[in-house]
């Protein structure tokens, strides 16, 4: 049985419990998805299902190899494809199967994988939370990184030294988020907490191991 689904982040809101506690909520469009390919241990070395997110906009410019890949399983081309692992011996899952949000129920724990917002080339104060120097006129040391190593030994910059560089636009997994509400009619999943990435960003939502 498939224990994950693809989706999109729609935005954040809040709900209140009966005793007045405010809960931050991220609303996700979870599915509907279709199984495009079934990976097996005998043929591929591992058990997984490749899912495609079914969306309103159809794919106009699919390449011939892509069209052949989708035609083999008898499904329409999808923009967003990802694999989710399957348990060994799960022979029920086959290409063409539908996967929808009814996979989840309130109180379930899920892991959500997304792509964080890209921040471009960032300095050490923004990227690594360096304190920086004094802001006064006579400081002459404001936002620079400072020393990056000794001269005599080791005479090089050690790997992993925190420095300025590209920030964000990286795969981020948020674990053990609680499902608050499931709307099967509109394929919506209400999850407690925040999710990486912008509104409209693609996500992989997997059930946490109980």
């Amino acid at each position: 049985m498939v224990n994950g689904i693809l989706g999109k982040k729609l935005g954040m809101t809040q709900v209140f419990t009966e005793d007045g506690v405010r809960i931050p909520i991220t609303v996700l469009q979870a599915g509907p998805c279709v199984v495009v390919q079934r990976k097996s241990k005998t043929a591929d070395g591992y058990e997984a299902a490749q899912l495609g997110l079914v969306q309103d906009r159809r794919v106009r410019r699919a390449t011939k190899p892509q069209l052949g890949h989708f035609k083999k399983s008898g499904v329409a081309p999808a923009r967003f494809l990802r694999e989710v692992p399957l348990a060994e011996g799960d022979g029920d899952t086959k290409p063409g199967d539908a996967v929808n949000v009814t996979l989840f129920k309130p109180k379930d724990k899920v892991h959500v994988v997304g792509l964080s917002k890209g921040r471009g080339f960032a300095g050490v104060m923004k990227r690594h939370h360096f304190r920086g120097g004094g802001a006064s006129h006579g400081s002459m040391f404001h936002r620079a990184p400072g020393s990056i190593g000794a001269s005599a030994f080791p005479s090089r910059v050690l790997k992993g030294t925190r420095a300025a560089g590209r920030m964000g636009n990286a795969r981020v997994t948020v674990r053990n988020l609680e499902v608050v509400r499931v709307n099967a009619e509109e394929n919506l999943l209400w999850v407690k907490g925040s999710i990486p990435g912008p509104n409209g960003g693609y996500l992989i939502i997997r059930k946490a191991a109980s």
Side-chain angles (χ1 to χ4, degrees):
M1 178 181 174
V2 176
N3 67 345
I5 197 170
L6 309 182
K8 293 174 76 174
K9 177 179 175 179
L10 298 182
M12 290 198 73
T13 184
Q14 60 187 9
V15 296
F16 291 88
T17 61
E18 293 180 358
D19 52 353
V21 177
R22 182 178 64 87
I23 301 176
I25 297 292
T26 305
V27 183
L28 312 177
Q29 178 209 331
C33 293
V34 63
V35 178
V36 177
Q37 187 180 15
R38 173 74 163 84
K39 300 291 183 75
S40 65
K41 189 142 191 173
T42 53
D44 305 285
Y46 63 99
E47 299 282 343
Q50 186 186 63
L51 302 181
L53 179 62
V54 179
Q55 300 183 73
D56 296 334
R57 285 194 311 159
R58 67 186 184 89
V59 179
R60 292 179 180 273
R61 293 193 176 94
T63 63
K64 285 186 177 180
Q66 288 173 338
L67 290 172
H69 180 65
F70 288 107
K71 187 177 179 181
K72 189 182 294 184
S73 53
V75 299
R79 293 177 185 276
F80 185 56
L81 295 173
R82 288 296 182 273
E83 288 184 5
V84 293
L86 295 175
E88 286 194 31
D90 184 0
D92 298 335
T93 305
K94 59 186 184 300
D97 286 354
V99 182
N100 53 44
V101 75
T102 55
L103 182 70
F104 306 98
K105 60 184 184 299
K107 301 293 185 182
D108 279 353
K109 298 288 187 179
V110 294
H111 302 326
V112 181
V113 184
L115 203 63
S116 63
K117 290 182 181 180
R119 302 298 183 186
F121 193 96
V124 290
M125 289 180 67
K126 181 173 182 178
R127 192 181 186 208
H128 298 297
H129 310 293
F130 280 22
R131 183 184 173 193
S136 62
H137 175 69
S139 168
M140 300 184 69
F141 178 79
H142 301 293
R143 302 183 66 90
S147 172
I148 58 173
S151 173
F153 178 82
S155 292
R156 61 190 176 89
V157 179
L158 296 175
K159 286 186 177 179
T161 299
R162 292 175 298 170
R166 194 188 74 177
M167 181 180 176
N169 195 35
R171 183 183 169 109
V172 178
T173 303
V174 182
R175 299 180 179 277
N176 296 315
L177 297 175
E178 182 181 333
V179 174
V180 176
R181 192 180 300 172
V182 178
N183 186 335
E185 293 180 1
E186 298 182 7
N187 299 301
L188 297 180
L189 196 65
W190 294 41
V191 176
K192 181 179 179 180
S194 59
I195 302 295
N199 293 344
Y202 290 113
L203 304 168
I204 306 170
I205 308 156
R206 296 199 311 262
K207 273 190 175 181
S210 54

